[in-house]
Amino acid sequence: MLDWLTENIEVVQLVASLTTTVVWIVYLNIFLKGFIQQRRSSLLINRGGGEDLDSRCLISNMGDQPIYLLDVLAATDGETAPSLASVVDRKELRNGENERSSAITGQGPVKSGDFVDIGSFRDVTERADFHGLKDASGDGERLKLIVVAATNQAQHIVAATREFDIAADSDSVVVRPRTVEAHQIRARRKRKRLTKLLEEIQRKRSGETVESVDIDRL
């Protein structure tokens, strides 16, 4: 055995080097995957405090890094065409008595593991002027919320979306999420489209909606 190793020492060294290289590549791949996963944003859109229109709409940051909440968009299939509106500002509280910006808007920094209450679903539908949703009946209406944020490590915005059904149930109107958790928008094409929509919304007056939006592409 020793004689064979001596005669083939170069082959043995080559195999040992290749094995070591493969092991290091595997470990590096595992480390990079864990690092990228840790740095990825994770935005949640939750319903809390009940299941009717007075339940709260909560935006949570479950990523490792803090974010700056830029906007929350509400989209729905309107009577004539789909529409999109910004609902991040608490316009119903803007009475001149609140001096803190956090009291009248959901915009601002959100720490990792923290959340922002942007108001009740009733408030959200009223800010977006979705009157049909408040009196939903039959099969109800679809409400799609899109959270848009900025991070210090991303070159572009980060976003997530979640859909809710708003329908009549006995004597009340209930809000039911369609999925267990929010869908993270990571495709660059969709994030660029959202950026353009945000720019269009910012050029409009407060409360105005963007008409004829392809909701399913967001």
Side-chain angles (χ1 to χ4, degrees):
M1 185 67 177
L2 291 176
D3 292 339
W4 183 88
L5 289 176
T6 302
E7 293 174 359
N8 299 276
I9 186 65
E10 292 182 357
V11 175
V12 173
Q13 289 177 338
L14 178 60
V15 171
S17 298
L18 290 175
T19 302
T20 302
T21 301
V22 170
V23 170
W24 276 109
I25 290 175
V26 171
Y27 274 113
L28 180 61
N29 188 49
I30 293 173
F31 172 78
L32 286 176
K33 281 187 176 180
F35 178 77
I36 293 173
Q37 188 67 30
Q38 186 180 37
R39 300 284 290 183
R40 268 189 167 183
S41 62
S42 181
L43 306 173
L44 301 184
I45 308 170
N46 296 323
R47 180 199 63 186
E51 60 177 19
D52 58 8
L53 281 175
D54 291 318
S55 58
R56 312 303 294 181
C57 184
L58 308 175
I59 310 301
S60 305
N61 174 25
M62 300 309 295
D64 187 60
Q65 301 295 317
I67 63 169
Y68 187 94
L69 182 60
L70 293 172
D71 212 334
V72 179
L73 307 178
T76 188
D77 297 308
E79 294 182 0
T80 57
S83 59
L84 184 74
S86 172
V87 295
V88 73
D89 291 332
R90 305 183 181 98
K91 293 182 290 187
E92 67 278 1
L93 300 181
R94 194 168 51 201
N95 54 14
E97 298 178 1
N98 295 305
E99 297 181 358
R100 294 182 298 110
S101 59
S102 60
I104 57 176
T105 183
Q107 295 184 56
V110 185
K111 297 178 181 178
S112 174
D114 207 350
F115 70 91
V116 174
D117 182 345
I118 66 166
S120 68
F121 277 86
R122 188 184 305 277
D123 294 332
V124 168
T125 58
E126 289 178 351
R127 291 173 203 161
D129 201 24
F130 295 159
H131 299 295
L133 292 179
K134 294 182 292 183
D135 303 313
S137 60
D139 295 333
E141 298 284 349
R142 172 177 62 153
L143 174 66
K144 187 170 188 176
L145 295 179
I146 306 159
V147 176
V148 185
T151 64
N152 58 1
Q153 80 271 14
Q155 295 181 349
H156 303 285
I157 62 172
V158 295
T161 180
R162 194 178 187 189
E163 293 188 6
F164 298 84
D165 286 320
I166 300 182
D169 185 7
S170 298
D171 297 330
S172 62
V173 178
V174 296
V175 180
R176 293 194 177 99
R178 289 190 171 186
T179 56
V180 175
E181 58 185 21
H183 169 68
Q184 307 299 312
I185 301 176
R186 305 199 188 279
R188 180 176 297 181
R189 174 177 53 83
K190 288 190 175 183
R191 287 184 290 145
K192 284 186 176 180
R193 176 172 168 77
L194 275 176
T195 301
K196 291 182 179 180
L197 284 173
L198 282 177
E199 292 173 351
E200 184 176 352
I201 288 174
Q202 289 173 357
R203 288 194 295 267
K204 290 181 174 291
R205 290 180 298 179
S206 177
E208 284 189 319
T209 59
V210 178
E211 301 292 339
S212 301
V213 177
D214 189 349
I215 296 176
D216 294 321
R217 290 181 59 191
L218 299 177

